[in-house]
Amino acid sequence: MGHAPVTSSRQAIARTSVPQSRFRPRLTRLVPAFLALAFAAGALPAWAADADVAAALKSLQSDRPVSRTVTLRDLGFTGPVSLTSVDARRDIYLPVPADMALDQADLSLNAHYLRADGGSTTFVLSLDGYPVAARAPDQESGTFGIDLGVDGAPRKSGFVRLGVSWSSAINAEMCGDNRAIGNVVEIDPSTRFTYRYHPAGVRDLLTAWTALPSAPGVLVAGRSLGADAYDAAWRIGIALERAGKHARFVALPAVGDEVDLGGVEVPAGLSTIPAFAALSAGGTYRLADPAEVGAYLALAGGNLADLAVADASLTANVRTAFDALAAEVEASGPEAKAAFDALRSAADSLTAGPTSPDGIGIASLGGLPVIAVAPAAAGKASALFSSFWRQIATSRSLVVKAVKVPASASGSISLASLGGGARSFDVLASGDWSASFDLSALSANGGSIPATAVIDVAAAPGASASLPVVSIFLNDYLLAAKRLYADGQPERLTADIPEYALQPSNVLRVSFQRQPVSDRCRDTPQAYPVAVLPSSHITLSTSKPSADFLGVVPRLADKARLLIPTAFLADAPASLGTVVRLADAAGLSPEAATLALAEAQSNGAATSAMPDVPFLAVDVDVPVPDDRRVTVSGNQLALASAPGTPLLDIANLDRLGVIQAVSGRVPGLIYRQVGAQGPVLDAPILLSKGDIAIVSDAGKVVEIDSRDPGGSVPPENVGTGWSWSRIWDNRGEWGVPLTAVVVVLILLLFARAAFVRNRRDRG
């Protein structure tokens, strides 16, 4: 095999080679370009990750809509809302965020009806006074549902007024009796109102408060709390109870806690951050380090709680979690750091604490608003968010030095200040007006109870000669009734309030009734206006120091003391619910009451010396002199009406509690748990005319008066049945015959005088 000549190869190389003098300048220019491309190829992923993380962090603060569902059961309607009679009307107020636009607002109403009397029946539904739907059931019985959209316009009042009306008639001619007592419609408590709102619309504390759900979460620093944080938590819980909410107490997640990741979505851009990546699996997850705690708060903190007790421990724990998360985020680049700093600043009230020891402000956690309350401001929150002062909370943060709902100094209180706004409304057959009030809200000195209801009303005349009747009810007890002149002029009805009708939470109802007939057989029945006037009020008197709940509860409304064991602080979320329910039943004031801790003794029971002010003792033994009515020992409960006279003695009980009223120099209430586990008090506890109450998961199940277990003591303040004032109050009924008698007597007197004068003239 031959080889090519060397000379020819070299010649080929010489022909294809580039001279060195021309190659070196080009190489010098290309090296920086290759280096730049190589650097760019390595740095591009880092720059892209920085931008992705920043965008994902910004999405956590984006204006994501919040969904809310309110059912009639959430509003306290434990049973169906029944409408009967010829013309029955009812207004139901559905809470919404004040002065905020709603999105996708829908009402789903479920009802059941009976038509035993047949005839014509009509159901009309209205929203904010405008009729929007109607049904005319024609079967003997059945159900119907109404699903409709609700206008999303802002409501300054914070309520959507749902009006329901049921009209029933069995004949068309008004000469006969057209009452259909067997025609009934019942609105189911499952009726629900759903809507969405945008958190960006929460501009101030007023809208944040009205946007709270029916069961808001209250965030505390952990399962174990200090006395100041626990004290603030129960006061916030009372403020929510008085606003118709039921607080849930949630401990801030800590390292080692298990959390539910079912509703947590981790944006794809955060998958490069270890703390966020660890939370992307879903299910139940145990938090491994502070950075994961911070990531969980950033993702789900807004769903975790709606309010927070912003004490030093909570702010320190949140700050530690966010510091650890910041170290991981900042490694991604400057854009990610800036986005995280913005997210952190939105939660400033929680990470840095309120700007003042008396501060209340809005923080953002997980993109949702959270009301942060400093411990010193917790007691004032109840008064600040009451209907009297709420409208002034038009800032994102406030420093609350002092706030209190004005109390009456004249011995009377207007019904308008208790939420019963005076107004006129039309009545065809019957119509009601009501106002609600708590005993604890009626007196600044805590020793007054309602004594008299003074109701001023006016009614327009109707086509019928029958006069309308007005009746006053307190907690469904009939207190007084009278016929009205119905000439459009003010008329007054006064009713004494007996103690047996009082409860810690009361509803005063004024009912109007008209005869739905006209002067001619074929006239259409017409509704005529009535009004409850602004001068209506309740007069107060000092309560008698009786040894029952009604004698004790009014005295707890001012400077009272709440006694709890120190063990409650070790597992605060577990005990706070019970404490709040009992404090609400006792009428404790979140502004004026104080908290005291009782240490456990060698037998494990917490004991306290006799307080010097009215008190509520929760699982704390207080020495009550010569009192053997209630004895609790583990799972054994014994009740007695007198020494040696047992009423009850049962062992092996569980999930029960007993409340006892004690009088004497210092009145109070004592609650004791019966069994290894106490009841879950989800329903309000209403204490009335007794001194011992047993409660369970279902609420109050037994209430007795140990001084008279059989209830043989007659009610007080019962009238004799006849008086001149009663005749005068019923002058609409007696006016015509009395006037006739008076005229006849006057004529007889004139006739006799004339007869005597004539005889004298003749004589």
Side-chain angles (χ1 to χ4, degrees):
M1 185 172 179
H3 296 279
V6 175
T7 55
S8 61
S9 298
R10 288 176 179 173
Q11 290 174 354
I13 293 173
R15 289 194 298 266
T16 58
S17 297
V18 179
Q20 276 190 345
S21 59
R22 295 175 58 193
F23 176 75
R24 285 179 179 173
R26 290 185 180 182
L27 184 63
T28 305
R29 291 195 301 268
L30 290 175
V31 167
F34 284 129
L35 291 176
L37 288 173
F39 176 78
L44 185 59
W47 289 344
D50 187 17
D52 289 344
V53 171
L57 289 173
K58 290 176 182 178
S59 72
L60 297 181
Q61 292 297 108
S62 62
D63 189 24
R64 294 168 292 171
V66 178
S67 298
R68 291 277 188 259
T69 299
V70 180
T71 67
L72 296 190
R73 188 173 286 106
D74 295 334
L75 300 179
F77 294 93
T78 56
V81 179
S82 297
L83 301 177
T84 60
S85 185
V86 177
D87 184 76
R89 302 170 186 269
R90 185 75 177 265
D91 284 341
I92 300 172
Y93 291 85
L94 306 173
V96 295
D99 207 19
M100 284 181 61
L102 306 180
D103 185 23
Q104 297 184 9
D106 297 291
L107 177 69
S108 179
L109 183 141
N110 302 314
H112 171 76
Y113 69 89
L114 298 174
R115 292 180 65 252
D117 293 324
S120 175
T121 53
T122 305
F123 179 82
V124 179
L125 185 149
S126 64
L127 294 173
D128 296 322
Y130 297 96
V132 292
R135 297 290 185 272
D138 56 3
Q139 303 297 319
E140 287 189 359
S141 65
T143 61
F144 62 82
I146 299 178
D147 297 317
L148 50 88
V150 179
D151 179 20
R155 273 107 174 149
K156 190 172 183 62
S157 64
F159 294 98
V160 173
R161 180 159 59 94
L162 169 65
V164 289
S165 173
W166 172 254
S167 300
S168 178
I170 58 174
N171 62 44
E173 295 190 0
M174 295 304 296
C175 293
D177 184 357
N178 77 326
R179 291 174 295 175
I181 59 177
N183 292 356
V184 181
V185 66
E186 290 186 338
I187 303 171
D188 195 86
S190 64
T191 293
R192 67 184 184 276
F193 173 53
T194 60
Y195 64 90
R196 302 195 313 174
Y197 73 91
H198 292 270
V202 179
R203 306 176 304 276
D204 49 43
L205 286 166
L206 170 61
T207 52
W209 180 264
T210 56
L212 293 175
S214 57
V218 180
L219 186 66
V220 294
R223 302 194 67 83
S224 178
L225 293 182
D228 289 345
Y230 195 100
D231 192 25
W234 80 263
R235 295 176 195 274
I236 293 175
I238 286 288
L240 293 170
E241 292 287 337
R242 303 279 162 85
K245 313 289 185 181
H246 182 40
R248 299 179 295 105
F249 293 94
V250 182
L252 181 73
V255 175
D257 288 351
E258 287 190 349
V259 295
D260 184 8
L261 301 177
V264 176
E265 295 183 4
V266 180
L270 297 178
S271 59
T272 59
I273 308 298
F276 286 107
L279 305 181
S280 60
T284 301
Y285 179 76
R286 189 179 298 277
L287 299 173
D289 55 50
E292 293 183 2
V293 175
Y296 181 74
L297 292 177
L299 293 169
N303 297 323
L304 193 67
D306 305 278
L307 303 99
V309 179
D311 67 321
S313 296
L314 179 73
T315 56
N317 292 343
V318 175
R319 187 187 308 117
T320 298
F322 276 14
D323 285 345
L325 181 60
E328 294 187 2
V329 171
E330 290 172 2
S332 299
E335 287 190 45
K337 180 181 182 303
F340 184 78
D341 289 343
L343 182 149
R344 185 170 186 164
S345 65
D348 188 61
S349 295
L350 297 179
T351 56
T355 56
S356 168
D358 299 299
I360 300 178
I362 300 176
S364 179
L365 202 57
L368 299 178
V370 176
I371 300 177
V373 183
K380 305 160 190 171
S382 179
L384 174 65
F385 293 117
S386 67
S387 59
F388 191 91
W389 293 116
R390 185 187 307 158
Q391 296 298 326
I392 71 171
T394 55
S395 300
R396 293 188 63 87
S397 63
L398 295 172
V399 177
V400 187
K401 296 293 185 181
V403 60
K404 193 170 186 179
V405 176
S408 172
S410 61
S412 66
I413 186 165
S414 169
L415 292 184
S417 66
L418 300 177
R423 63 184 178 93
S424 299
F425 54 96
D426 292 341
V427 174
L428 173 62
S430 64
D432 291 342
W433 175 97
S434 63
S436 302
F437 61 91
D438 296 328
L439 283 183
S440 60
L442 291 184
S443 176
N445 58 21
S448 297
I449 60 174
T452 307
V454 181
I455 308 298
D456 293 333
V457 300
S464 169
S466 300
L467 298 176
V469 175
V470 60
S471 306
I472 302 177
F473 297 85
L474 182 65
N475 300 322
D476 291 331
Y477 286 98
L478 176 62
L479 303 184
K482 67 176 291 186
R483 295 181 188 272
L484 298 176
Y485 275 144
D487 57 0
Q489 299 300 312
E491 301 182 60
R492 172 164 290 187
L493 181 60
T494 302
D496 292 334
I497 299 177
E499 287 189 356
Y500 63 79
L502 287 171
Q503 295 179 356
S505 295
N506 302 270
V507 177
L508 180 71
R509 177 164 57 93
V510 180
S511 178
F512 295 89
Q513 288 181 305
R514 286 185 182 272
Q515 185 70 20
V517 298
S518 58
D519 291 335
R520 295 163 54 186
C521 292
R522 296 186 182 275
D523 282 351
T524 301
Q526 178 69 43
Y528 295 90
V530 298
V532 178
L533 303 179
S535 55
S536 301
H537 61 277
I538 291 176
T539 61
L540 307 176
S541 68
T542 302
S543 63
K544 296 182 295 184
S546 57
D548 55 19
F549 295 129
L550 289 178
V552 171
V553 168
R555 287 172 165 73
L556 297 176
D558 191 37
K559 291 179 171 55
R561 186 164 299 159
L562 173 62
L563 298 170
I564 63 170
T566 54
F568 278 15
L569 274 61
D571 192 0
S575 61
L576 275 167
T578 298
V579 170
V580 168
R581 281 295 190 195
L582 293 171
D584 182 51
L588 289 187
S589 167
E591 303 102 313
T594 58
L595 178 69
L597 302 177
E599 297 289 344
Q601 303 301 311
S602 56
N603 59 359
T607 61
S608 169
M610 192 66 182
D612 55 355
V613 294
F615 63 92
L616 167 64
V618 182
D619 283 332
V620 174
D621 290 334
V622 177
V624 180
D626 302 325
D627 189 9
R628 298 291 185 269
R629 289 174 295 162
V630 179
T631 302
V632 177
S633 178
N635 59 18
Q636 183 175 4
L637 172 64
L639 305 180
S641 59
T645 309
L647 290 173
L648 180 76
D649 193 345
I650 298 180
N652 295 331
L653 296 172
D654 200 16
R655 299 185 71 88
L656 289 178
V658 59
I659 307 172
Q660 175 188 358
V662 296
S663 60
R665 185 180 63 85
V666 181
L669 299 179
I670 300 176
Y671 170 84
R672 300 178 180 91
Q673 175 181 312
V674 182
Q677 187 175 4
V680 178
L681 302 178
D682 285 333
I685 303 171
L686 300 178
L687 304 174
S688 55
K689 191 68 174 177
D691 63 346
I692 297 174
I694 299 176
V695 295
S696 70
D697 292 349
K700 185 180 70 175
V701 292
V702 175
E703 182 174 330
I704 62 172
D705 187 342
S706 63
R707 301 162 301 172
D708 181 32
S712 60
V713 176
E716 302 173 359
N717 300 327
V718 176
T720 59
W722 185 93
S723 68
W724 285 107
S725 62
R726 292 195 175 194
I727 294 178
W728 179 251
D729 284 341
N730 289 279
R731 57 191 180 276
E733 177 182 0
W734 292 86
V736 173
L738 282 176
T739 302
V741 170
V742 170
V743 170
V744 170
L745 289 176
I746 291 174
L747 291 175
L748 288 175
L749 288 174
F750 274 111
R752 178 172 176 77
F755 176 75
V756 171
R757 188 167 53 253
N758 288 337
R759 287 190 60 183
R760 188 171 57 248
D761 292 342
R762 286 196 303 268

